[in-house]
Amino acid sequence: MNDEIYQKLAQAIIDGEPEDAEALAQQALEQGIDPLECINQGLVKGIQKVGELFANGDYFLPELIIGADAMKAALDVLEPSLLEGQKREVVGKVVLGTVKGDLHEIGKTLVGTMLTANGFKVKDIGVDKEPQEFIAAIKEMDADIVGASALLTTTMLQQKKLINAIEEAGLRDKVKVMIGGAPVTESFAKEIGADGYAEDAISAVSLAYRLMDAPL
Amino acid sequence: MAERPTSETITDLVHEKSVEILQEVGFCVPDDNVLALLMSAGFPVFRESKMARITPGLLENALMTLPKDVRLHHRSGELLACFGNESCFMGAGTPVNVFDLNSGEHRAATWEDVCQLVTIQDALPQVDIVRPTVTATDLGPASDLVEIAESLRNTSKPVVHRTLSSDRVEAAVEIVFAVAGGADAFRLHPNFATVYCPISPGYFTPENIHCMLRWAANGIPITLLSMAMGGASAPATLLGELIVINTDILAWIVVLQTLYPGTPLLYGSVSAMLDMRTGLLPLGAPERGMINSGAAMMGRYYGIPSMCGGLSSDAKELDAQAGFEKVNTAIPLLMHGADIIYGVGATNAGSTISYTQMIFDDEIIAGVRRMWQGIPVHDVSEEVALIKSLTPKGNFMSAKHTLRNYKKHWYPGIISRDTYETWKEKGETIESLCRRKAQDIVANHQPVRLSANIEAELEYIIRQHLPDFRFHNR
């Protein structure tokens, strides 16, 4: 009985059906099924399968993104109902945003989706964000990693400002900094003292795992 | 079932749908002062959402005042003859990386690269319009002024570039006018156009809006250059993406013509279709040329020149992929009569400029331009007489007719037609030939210089933003 609903939850993610995933999560709660089991036996299995299909080249980004959306829809229902002491296992906590003066959204959002699909808890603070806004989110979430995106040659220098501000706030030892965006390069990342650079959303995941010292 | 559009009706359809979107949803103008300007000019404006819409009246007036005779000139005032008659080719740009002229190393581009890359474009016969092609990352934010000045002084061909801050537009305009010999001389024979990109769909940054309005106030041609990404910032179909491209451009045709009637505008697109395996934007894909050929069609529909991204590649070196992609992304643009094909020197998905690729692009352009001429129709009486006299088994090589005509065919400057043995003996690769040619141009080519007092004036203007600025080789 429970297995059936876990399987359906997993399938809703594999098929990319956020409405179905939400309804199934709701149904599971009404039937008194353990929400943590729904997450671990249903959602996580589903998103792992999506990741596998992606790695094999059967799925492309649109399937991955809608799968992650479906997972998020179900999580939003299940997480508030976790029993006391229960906690979803995450690889790490990440604050993501696009730096001050830059309004580019898509690459950064894609990184967020990929990280979520790979077991990270992600707080996406949006675009055109001041260093102080990143820092507030890092503190609030007790983040392990902060990811800063810049698409313009003129705004990539803001990534350096962010790193300086994190240092001044005394958080540099607590949080790893990863940067990305079209004009950004590995050598630029080194130059400004970032902990890592990822050239696309997929390598951002392996970078985040590396920064967490977690096996991929 | 809905009627399927044909190629003849694509332009009508795209225009009609853009107008529908601009009247029902509109476009975002994230600046209260500009919104107020638009409101008093008659645009329906929504203060809270910062959206503006167009009306049929505004559209009609804008399309009427939109200049249909935009021309570009050399610095000397001579008309750029190919412009408007066939596809002209333009330098790419402006990324922050370059493959080094001598070592080939991938590194940050500098002021010196700007000078050298402009000098090479000046020397290459197939490059018609010049861009700085890279950002001088060693100069800080005001590098755009130096890029404009170095472009105008290292080539006499027409130049396209922009400023990234409205604080520097007046200085840039002063540079452009100083080189032309005053505002009136410039407007008579414009040798410079600027270029600004919306964020699709329906958004321009306040800074870019301020820049465009300043350029327009000075009567300098502006390219509205869409950078839509199909599947991300636009629909995943070519036709759907073209509607986004056109909507973004049409909105600002109407704005600029309403606020500054008669401003010369170009219709630009360097759009592409997102690669859903990686989320990267492949510029060597067949869809790159296909989508931007739509901009050529729409530019012609509105009667303004088109600037279309093509002659592009995702290759990291001068290899088979580079050859295939460069040609493959240029052909749809030639086919649809793009006025400017935008891509000389670019590689690595537009993120890096390559000296050797720039040299080889000149070779590619010469070849595709020749190919594009097709079989010309002419009087063949001389040929027929010759065939009759030499049939059977005659040799045409000694005929005067051959002597007069063989040079019309294309002779490569770089690619090898040698036998295997000769090729082996020479031991040259395309890469090594291109590198030597680039080094040779940099060492020996002398662009026509500006007069000493104009150069001094440019230095003076730039010093307001970059203290102690001096040209290196005055």
Side-chain angles (χ1 to χ4, degrees):
Chain A
M1 172 67 206
N2 288 3
D3 279 351
E4 194 190 328
I5 201 136
Y6 300 152
Q7 214 163 45
K8 278 186 175 167
L9 274 168
Q11 198 59 41
I13 288 165
I14 295 164
D15 295 342
E17 299 287 358
E19 289 88 1
D20 291 1
E22 190 184 340
L24 285 162
Q26 207 61 260
Q27 189 191 325
L29 289 183
E30 280 158 20
Q31 292 174 4
I33 302 170
D34 181 354
L36 190 62
E37 285 300 297
C38 288
I39 293 173
N40 291 336
Q41 301 301 318
L43 306 187
V44 171
K45 293 254 161 74
I47 203 73
Q48 278 171 349
K49 179 71 186 169
V50 169
E52 208 175 287
L53 287 164
F54 182 77
N56 287 340
D58 296 322
Y59 271 13
F60 284 26
L61 289 171
E63 288 94 345
L64 196 71
I65 287 173
I66 198 153
D69 282 350
M71 174 158 172
K72 187 170 183 307
L75 271 179
D76 286 348
V77 175
L78 296 171
E79 267 193 324
S81 303
L82 287 177
L83 307 172
E84 226 177 75
Q86 280 190 334
K87 229 172 126 190
R88 175 163 75 97
E89 219 173 286
V90 295
V91 185
K93 288 173 284 182
V94 185
V95 167
L96 269 188
T98 303
V99 296
K100 184 71 199 158
D102 201 320
L103 297 157
H104 291 86
E105 178 109 50
I106 290 169
K108 178 253 317 156
T109 307
L110 197 55
V111 170
T113 302
M114 292 295 291
L115 289 173
T116 306
N118 283 279
F120 285 85
K121 191 174 174 76
V122 175
K123 175 150 183 69
D124 186 337
I125 62 170
V127 300
D128 194 18
K129 292 300 174 198
E130 295 277 6
Q132 289 317 318
E133 296 174 271
F134 277 92
I135 287 168
I138 294 167
K139 285 182 179 161
E140 188 198 317
M141 191 192 201
D142 187 24
D144 306 299
I145 298 176
V146 58
S149 167
L151 192 91
L152 302 173
T153 55
T154 45
T155 55
M156 55 197 277
L157 293 170
Q158 289 290 334
Q159 294 172 325
K160 184 172 171 48
K161 284 196 181 157
L162 173 63
I163 292 174
N164 293 345
I166 291 173
E167 251 161 42
E168 279 162 29
L171 293 169
R172 193 64 188 90
D173 298 337
K174 297 206 179 81
V175 68
K176 304 275 188 188
V177 180
M178 55 188 226
I179 62 168
V184 178
T185 59
E186 186 78 57
S187 59
F188 177 74
K190 281 207 185 98
E191 191 186 312
I192 67 168
D195 296 300
Y197 149 80
E199 58 175 17
D200 58 34
I202 296 153
S203 49
V205 174
S206 38
L207 172 63
Y209 268 85
R210 210 160 60 237
L211 294 179
M212 293 304 300
D213 277 327
L216 190 57
Chain B
M1 206 176 90
E3 205 179 319
R4 250 182 88 180
T6 65
S7 59
E8 286 77 29
T9 59
I10 278 183
T11 47
D12 284 328
L13 175 85
V14 169
H15 173 71
E16 186 191 307
K17 296 300 168 196
S18 296
V19 171
E20 180 184 318
I21 293 164
L22 289 173
Q23 288 183 351
E24 286 179 18
V25 178
F27 53 104
C28 186
V29 182
D31 182 291
D32 290 334
N33 295 332
V34 180
L35 270 181
L37 264 179
L38 293 186
M39 192 151 85
S40 50
F43 286 81
V45 159
F46 302 84
R47 289 264 182 187
E48 239 162 59
S49 58
K50 299 193 187 301
M51 295 291 284
R53 294 182 191 163
I54 66 166
T55 65
L58 287 167
L59 176 64
E60 193 186 333
N61 280 338
L63 294 182
M64 218 146 60
T65 62
L66 183 64
K68 312 298 189 296
D69 56 350
V70 180
R71 296 281 175 270
L72 283 173
H73 298 75
H74 292 261
R75 200 171 69 199
S76 62
E78 186 195 333
L79 188 72
L80 177 64
C82 62
F83 191 59
N85 295 311
E86 56 163 309
S87 293
C88 296
F89 284 83
M90 181 172 86
T94 40
V96 291
N97 298 311
V98 71
F99 287 114
D100 185 80
L101 169 62
N102 299 310
S103 68
E105 176 207 356
H106 191 263
R107 60 163 173 79
T110 63
W111 179 8
E112 189 184 16
D113 289 310
V114 172
C115 298
Q116 293 178 348
L117 289 160
V118 171
T119 302
I120 292 175
Q121 290 172 85
D122 187 62
L124 293 177
Q126 305 299 333
V127 177
D128 306 300
I129 303 171
V130 171
R131 293 217 62 199
T133 71
V134 289
T135 299
T137 61
D138 50 344
L139 290 178
S143 76
D144 45 18
L145 292 181
V146 180
E147 289 149 18
I148 290 172
E150 291 290 12
S151 298
L152 288 167
R153 72 190 274 272
N154 285 296
T155 184
S156 33
K157 294 176 182 179
V159 167
V160 171
H161 201 37
R162 46 79 191 127
T163 53
L164 289 171
S165 160
S166 55
D167 296 343
R168 293 190 296 273
V169 175
E170 293 312 323
V173 170
E174 280 179 46
I175 291 170
V176 168
F177 286 170
V179 169
D184 292 340
F186 175 82
R187 288 185 197 119
L188 204 57
H189 303 295
N191 68 323
F192 180 89
T194 191
V195 57
Y196 287 92
C197 301
I199 297 178
S200 296
Y203 189 92
F204 253 105
T205 63
E207 204 54 54
N208 278 352
I209 291 174
H210 296 153
C211 285
M212 284 197 293
L213 296 181
R214 296 311 307 146
W215 288 105
N218 284 287
I220 290 176
I222 300 171
T223 313
L224 296 163
L225 186 74
S226 170
M227 285 189 173
M229 302 185 283
S233 69
T237 53
L238 291 165
L239 202 50
E241 184 175 7
L242 186 56
I243 292 173
V244 167
I245 293 169
N246 193 63
T247 306
D248 288 350
I249 293 176
L250 186 59
W252 284 85
I253 289 179
V254 178
V255 170
L256 291 169
Q257 290 304 316
T258 304
L259 298 180
Y260 298 100
T263 302
L265 297 178
L266 287 85
Y267 193 111
S269 173
V270 288
S271 302
M273 198 58 80
L274 210 70
D275 181 318
M276 292 301 184
R277 269 186 224 270
T278 58
L280 297 173
L281 198 67
L283 300 191
E287 290 81 4
R288 161 81 161 173
M290 291 159 79
I291 186 62
N292 292 329
S293 73
M297 291 156 62
M298 294 314 297
R300 181 164 314 105
Y301 181 81
Y302 295 118
I304 60 176
S306 55
M307 179 188 289
C308 306
L311 195 78
S312 324
S313 170
D314 300 312
K316 282 56 158 178
E317 52 188 16
L318 195 44
D319 58 6
Q321 180 181 342
F324 163 68
E325 292 179 336
K326 284 272 175 175
V327 174
N328 208 31
T329 53
I331 285 177
L333 302 182
L334 288 161
M335 233 159 69
H336 289 278
D339 292 294
I340 300 172
I341 298 179
Y342 178 3
V344 177
T347 187
N348 187 24
S351 296
T352 311
I353 295 294
S354 157
Y355 284 90
T356 51
Q357 183 72 57
M358 182 175 278
I359 300 291
F360 195 65
D361 282 348
D362 191 70
E363 179 96 337
I364 291 177
I365 298 166
V368 296
R369 275 185 156 153
R370 170 61 182 145
M371 177 257 293
W372 212 248
Q373 293 166 352
I375 299 181
V377 178
H378 57 82
D379 175 43
V380 291
S381 46
E382 194 183 353
E383 282 89 340
V384 173
L386 197 58
I387 296 165
K388 286 178 181 169
S389 75
L390 289 174
T391 303
K393 295 178 77 184
N395 182 351
F396 290 81
M397 202 193 264
S398 56
K400 285 257 163 58
H401 178 268
T402 303
L403 198 63
R404 281 202 317 275
N405 284 288
Y406 81 91
K407 278 191 180 155
K408 292 176 186 165
H409 304 309
W410 184 56
Y411 286 85
I414 295 165
I415 60 174
S416 167
R417 289 174 172 177
D418 292 330
T419 62
Y420 173 73
E421 286 76 13
T422 312
W423 173 80
K424 181 101 183 151
E425 198 170 308
K426 284 182 181 168
E428 288 269 29
T429 62
I430 285 181
E431 170 82 25
S432 66
L433 272 166
C434 287
R435 188 169 308 285
R436 218 175 44 236
K437 196 167 170 191
Q439 288 165 333
D440 179 61
I441 292 173
V442 167
N444 299 314
H445 179 69
Q446 294 290 339
V448 180
R449 287 289 178 199
L450 296 166
S451 71
N453 53 354
I454 292 180
E455 298 223 321
E457 196 179 339
L458 301 192
E459 285 179 339
Y460 176 78
I461 297 165
I462 294 170
R463 267 184 225 132
Q464 329 268 317
H465 295 268
L466 271 176
D468 304 326
F469 176 82
R470 287 191 76 83
F471 291 122
H472 280 153
N473 52 348
R474 262 190 73 193

